[in-house]
Amino acid sequence: MENLENTRYFKVDQEAESGAKEVLAVVYEALTEKGYNQVNQIVGYIMSGDPTYITSYQNARSMLRKVERDELVEELLREYIRTKGWQ
């Protein structure tokens, strides 16, 4: 049985970080060009896993599906923390 008393550490590879950042930039731009609310669409995808939240324009949907949703959340949180100056 696992000891749940201790804090677990999660390490993310640097390559995954930059991949998620690049994919988010492409997806954001594709959603903007198609006139969608970028935040709502990306959040919908992250929460549900339903790829239809993301346009297939500019291959955005295919690119996004190659990145794990937890990697997307990590990248978004990392950037939020950076812009807040918390780190």
Side-chain angles (χ1 to χ4, degrees), residues 24-55:
L24 281 167
V26 170
V27 169
Y28 186 91
E29 186 61 33
L31 290 167
T32 300
E33 289 179 20
K34 293 304 278 183
Y36 293 109
N37 180 312
Q38 310 88 337
V39 173
N40 287 348
Q41 298 307 114
I42 293 170
V43 168
Y45 171 71
I46 289 172
M47 296 299 291
S48 71
D50 183 353
T52 61
Y53 277 98
I54 306 302
T55 181

Side-chain angles (χ1 to χ4, degrees), residues 36-87:
Y36 293 109
N37 180 312
Q38 310 88 337
V39 173
N40 287 348
Q41 298 307 114
I42 293 170
V43 168
Y45 171 71
I46 289 172
M47 296 299 291
S48 71
D50 183 353
T52 61
Y53 277 98
I54 306 302
T55 181
S56 59
Y57 178 70
Q58 298 292 344
N59 207 28
R61 185 181 297 160
S62 296
M63 290 178 68
L64 195 61
R65 292 185 75 191
K66 291 178 183 176
V67 178
E68 295 292 329
R69 289 183 295 157
D70 64 324
E71 291 175 28
L72 298 172
V73 172
E74 289 166 11
E75 182 56 43
L76 293 168
L77 182 58
R78 189 176 292 107
E79 187 63 19
Y80 182 81
I81 289 169
R82 188 189 68 74
T83 60
K84 288 291 190 179
W86 294 346
Q87 193 174 34

Side-chain angles (χ1 to χ4, degrees), residues 2-3 5-13 74:
E2 243 181 284
N3 181 355
E5 296 296 317
N6 297 322
T7 300
R8 290 183 168 208
Y9 292 94
F10 185 79
K11 184 167 179 359
V12 179
D13 295 332
E74 289 166 11

